[in-house]
Amino acid sequence: MFCTLLQGEFFISGFTNQELRSYFPDKNSGQITRLLARLRVHGVIKKVGKRYKYYLTEFGRQSVAMALKLREMTVIPALNFTPAP
């Protein structure tokens, strides 16, 4: 989800539930709505007034970028670790 939100097209024009469903064919509209609601509560995204469009907040950009960086630099190498016999 975070990789999708950091795409350049969403920085300029924002994103809607329908656009996100095209990136996640296994999720239905209600599941995407719940994800968007959680992100709004935590301040990661904000809703454009009187529209069904969302944008990442500055806090959202920083936290999503940090989460992806942590995953790439810490979590994935730790999963690949094999102890010496």
Side-chain angles (χ1 to χ4, degrees), residues 6 62-77:
L6 282 179
Q62 292 174 357
S63 58
V64 167
M66 183 57 71
L68 292 174
K69 193 173 192 178
L70 280 172
R71 185 187 74 173
E72 292 295 322
M73 298 183 133
T74 306
V75 175
I76 293 175

Side-chain angles (χ1 to χ4, degrees), residues 40 45-55 57:
R40 281 183 70 191
I45 62 173
K46 65 179 177 179
K47 188 172 192 264
V48 177
K50 299 183 181 179
R51 302 217 171 147
Y52 296 109
K53 204 164 258 224
Y54 301 90
Y55 286 95
T57 61

Side-chain angles (χ1 to χ4, degrees), residues 13-49:
S13 63
F15 53 92
T16 62
N17 185 327
Q18 184 178 6
E19 290 171 344
L20 288 179
R21 273 187 281 151
S22 66
Y23 289 96
F24 301 105
D26 58 327
K27 298 204 181 289
N28 60 31
S29 179
Q31 291 171 326
I32 297 291
T33 299
R34 286 188 288 277
L35 285 171
L36 292 175
R38 275 190 227 137
L39 292 174
R40 281 183 70 191
V41 166
H42 292 293
V44 176
I45 62 173
K46 65 179 177 179
K47 188 172 192 264
V48 177

Side-chain angles (χ1 to χ4, degrees), residues 77-85:
L79 292 174
N80 201 14
F81 176 73
T82 54

